Amino acid sequence: MSDITIKLERPFVEELFARYETLIGKDFPGYRNHVYRTITYAMHFLSNAEEHERLVQVAFVYHDIGLWTDHELAYLEPSEAVALADNKKFGFGLDPELLRGAIHWHHKIFPYSGPHREVIEACRKADWIDASKGMLRKGVSRAQIQRVEAAFPNLGFHDTLLRLAKDYGGSTLVGGAKVTLGIVKW
């Protein structure tokens, strides 16, 4: 696999985030960098094909947004709903089923094999790399992951997820169970 391309600036991502930065609040820097890391990995799997970039950017800006918009640990469906509503309202021009699928299946444990497989699978693998802090590499080298993480530091993102699990679930254990049952797909 070729070397990984890191884009430090993504104006469309920043435009999308502008609507939600205040809502995300103190969690924004960590979430922003998580989004940039996952976009970087997904685009790498898609050979940086420009025709996929807009969809990947929108999917990742919105993929976890339900944590903040709906205060839900089972946040996939709320995240999908916000993404689909904004796609329509702001005229992103994205295939709604592909956008929904990229968000819905991003925590799927086993490879995705349905419609739009190439893009959804790239998003799925990208999120698993970052969610596991690079323990799962999905074909990306340790050196490439280190470069991406150096460009976009964690800034407490994984700690935020643990805190939200506790805040929304009543305890880290109960919240963790709710997250697992609500978002992990087989």
Side-chain angles (χ1 to χ4, degrees), residues 2 13 33 37 39 60 72 106 121-122 124 130 158-159 168:
S2 64
V13 168
N33 280 6
R37 288 188 304 269
I39 290 170
F60 277 119
E72 281 288 337
H106 80 270
E121 188 59 9
R124 184 191 73 81
D130 203 63
H158 291 81
D159 294 335
Y168 298 164

Side-chain angles (χ1 to χ4, degrees), residues 10 19 24 31-32 65 70 75 95 100 149 162 165:
R10 292 183 175 274
R19 295 178 185 100
I24 298 169
Y31 184 56
R32 179 190 178 276
I65 204 84
D70 292 52
Y75 57 82
D95 175 341
R100 189 195 69 74
E149 290 176 347
L162 291 174

Side-chain angles (χ1 to χ4, degrees), residues 91-103:
F92 301 154
L94 301 172
D95 175 341
E97 282 308 304
L98 175 52
L99 178 58
R100 189 195 69 74
I103 294 170

Side-chain angles (χ1 to χ4, degrees), residues 1-185:
M1 201 173 258
S2 64
D3 200 17
I4 200 155
T5 301
I6 297 173
K7 287 187 177 182
L8 296 176
E9 296 180 17
R10 292 183 175 274
F12 184 54
V13 168
E14 297 305 324
E15 177 186 323
L16 297 170
F17 268 141
R19 295 178 185 100
Y20 296 98
E21 183 175 354
T22 301
L23 178 68
I24 298 169
K26 67 182 181 184
D27 300 330
F28 179 73
Y31 184 56
R32 179 190 178 276
N33 280 6
H34 167 62
V35 167
Y36 271 75
R37 288 188 304 269
T38 53
I39 290 170
T40 302
Y41 298 133
M43 291 306 297
H44 181 67
F45 291 126
L46 295 166
S47 302
N48 294 302
E50 283 184 39
E51 68 264 23
H52 300 305
E53 192 166 26
R54 189 171 182 89
L55 180 282
V56 168
Q57 290 179 122
V58 172
F60 277 119
V61 165
Y62 288 89
H63 78 297
D64 295 342
I65 204 84
L67 285 166
W68 295 279
T69 60
D70 292 52
H71 304 285
E72 281 288 337
L73 294 175
Y75 57 82
L76 293 179
E77 287 77 10
S79 297
E80 293 166 26
V82 174
L84 292 170
D86 281 4
N87 182 43
K88 187 174 183 178
K89 180 178 179 180
F90 298 110
F92 301 154
L94 301 172
D95 175 341
E97 282 308 304
L98 175 52
L99 178 58
R100 189 195 69 74
I103 294 170
H104 188 80
W105 297 110
H106 80 270
H107 287 143
K108 187 171 180 349
I109 292 175
F110 298 106
Y112 174 82
S113 60
H116 310 291
R117 185 189 126 8
E118 180 184 25
V119 175
I120 292 173
E121 188 59 9
C123 292
R124 184 191 73 81
K125 292 190 305 186
D127 196 72
W128 276 108
I129 292 169
D130 203 63
S132 71
K133 296 183 181 180
M135 289 178 58
L136 300 174
R137 298 196 329 261
K138 305 293 182 183
V140 177
S141 73
R142 280 190 176 88
Q144 290 170 320
I145 291 169
Q146 288 170 347
R147 284 187 52 228
V148 173
E149 290 176 347
F152 308 111
N154 188 280
L155 302 178
F157 176 69
H158 291 81
D159 294 335
T160 294
L161 297 177
L162 291 174
R163 187 192 84 245
L164 292 175
K166 182 179 179 188
D167 290 352
Y168 298 164
S171 73
T172 305
L173 180 64
V174 172
K178 285 182 179 180
V179 168
T180 302
L181 294 172
I183 66 171
V184 174
K185 307 290 182 191

